[in-house]
Amino acid sequence: MPLSHLADWYVPAELQALYTESGLTYGQIGAKLGVSVRTIGNYLTGETRPKLAMAAKFAEVCGATEKRTEFLIHVISQMDHGRIVSDLEERNIFIIERAEATYGEFWKWEPWYIPGPLQIERYHMEALAGQDEQPMQQWKRKLRRQVMILRRKPAPVMRILIGLNALQPLAQWEWGADQFKKLLEFDRMPNCEIRILEGLHRGVEHSFDIFRPAEMTKTGPAFVYVEALDQSRHIEEAIKIEMYHGRVNKMWSFGTRFGGRLDDWVH
């Protein structure tokens, strides 16, 4: 079975992100790990892949959270054993973070909820019940994604399709108007457009994201990220990517341009 090209991109991309966030130099990291500056550089370019223990130490030195480190180690372990890195449960979100930070184009389809990086804190804390992790930890992750997307220059091409069902509950919350304003903020970004889709659409009951490099050089291959009750995974096969892209394009053509006031959508 071939290794995942996405995972092959993710490891050095994640190490590069950790290095940048740490504020440390190659020499400082190398000294803590007991390796040369050249070795650190090779890790960050993907010339070589660190062993599990070394990757864990690298993440620790750079201040990574436990879950972020666990996911990095999981990916490297899968690659070391020659398996496809897929079906990685909800922790796939770390790959999504790197894609949102680097890819030139992405589509998001969310039929039931406001997409994660477009949420406000009260939506996350009060509207989303039954969270598996510490809700504040999850919120900080979403906020990090949101800030990163808003600060990207040039802005990526974003096409965000949201089901009308995701907007309707906002009317019952005192902070619903604030969440609506956050959506407007994203919709006004350069290269971003939000559309609202009404009704049910067979075969697309679950959310999915499509990421394309779009001439950006520091990305991995195009892929689809799919969420379902029992799994979340990425899809790299070109024919399946085109199938998802064709479906979201068709739904997009039926969507209504977002804007106005909350009362215009919720009656």
Side-chain angles (χ1 to χ4, degrees):
M1 298 174 70
L3 282 171
S4 162
H5 295 298
L6 184 62
D8 201 34
W9 160 79
Y10 169 76
V11 172
E14 176 68 349
L15 293 175
Q16 177 68 51
L18 288 170
Y19 156 70
T20 301
E21 293 167 19
S22 74
L24 300 173
T25 65
Y26 282 24
Q28 289 170 325
I29 296 175
K32 293 178 181 292
L33 300 184
V35 299
S36 67
V37 168
R38 181 176 181 179
T39 297
I40 298 299
N42 287 340
Y43 290 162
L44 300 188
T45 61
E47 185 72 22
T48 57
R49 187 166 68 240
K51 299 295 185 182
L52 294 178
M54 183 63 73
K57 184 65 175 177
F58 187 107
E60 178 186 347
V61 166
C62 292
T65 63
E66 181 179 351
K67 287 188 175 297
R68 192 172 179 183
T69 302
E70 286 177 354
F71 181 74
L72 176 64
I73 297 307
H74 178 77
V75 172
I76 294 175
S77 176
Q78 292 259 316
M79 296 180 73
D80 287 347
H81 289 85
R83 295 195 296 266
I84 292 177
V85 179
S86 189
D87 300 330
L88 296 174
E89 303 175 348
E90 62 186 0
R91 293 178 299 172
N92 246 319
I93 195 64
F94 292 111
I95 288 181
I96 298 303
E97 286 185 10
R98 294 275 59 78
E100 290 172 346
T102 57
Y103 277 61
E105 175 188 331
F106 44 90
W107 297 70
K108 290 182 178 290
W109 158 237
E110 179 51 77
W112 302 107
Y113 305 101
I114 305 300
L118 280 66
Q119 295 172 12
I120 64 172
E121 183 176 357
R122 294 193 68 179
Y123 180 93
H124 171 81
M125 300 297 290
E126 299 179 31
L128 302 181
Q131 303 188 57
D132 295 330
E133 299 180 33
Q134 293 292 326
M136 182 53 67
Q137 184 178 17
Q138 285 190 342
W139 165 245
K140 289 180 179 178
R141 180 186 299 167
K142 290 178 180 177
L143 181 60
R144 181 172 65 244
R145 294 165 61 196
Q146 180 182 126
V147 171
M148 178 274 303
I149 292 173
L150 290 171
R151 289 179 177 175
R152 281 192 60 181
K153 296 186 183 301
V157 174
M158 292 184 286
R159 297 293 177 261
I160 302 170
L161 188 62
I162 304 174
L164 181 60
N165 290 321
L167 291 184
Q168 290 177 339
L170 298 182
Q172 64 182 299
W173 298 97
E174 63 181 39
W175 43 259
D178 294 331
Q179 176 60 77
F180 191 83
K181 289 178 182 177
K182 176 59 68 175
L183 294 176
L184 287 173
E185 178 184 355
F186 268 85
D187 188 62
R188 292 169 183 150
M189 285 182 61
N191 301 328
C192 181
E193 182 176 343
I194 298 176
R195 292 189 183 183
I196 306 301
L197 187 64
E198 189 171 359
L200 299 175
H201 296 264
R202 184 177 179 183
V204 286
E205 294 84 0
H206 299 293
S207 62
F208 62 84
D209 297 353
I210 303 174
F211 291 91
R212 294 171 174 263
E215 300 183 356
M216 300 300 286
T217 58
K218 295 183 178 181
T219 68
F223 71 99
V224 177
Y225 174 71
V226 184
E227 289 188 347
L229 180 63
D230 63 335
Q231 66 179 354
S232 64
R233 62 195 178 95
H234 61 258
I235 298 169
E236 299 179 52
E237 296 89 341
I239 190 170
K240 291 185 179 181
I241 293 173
E242 288 308 310
M243 178 185 70
Y244 277 92
H245 194 249
R247 182 60 62 89
V248 78
N249 260 307
K250 185 174 181 179
M251 294 191 300
W252 185 259
S253 67
F254 293 121
T256 302
R257 187 73 164 85
F258 182 71
R261 302 174 305 166
L262 180 57
D263 290 346
D264 298 331
W265 300 95
V266 181
H267 305 288

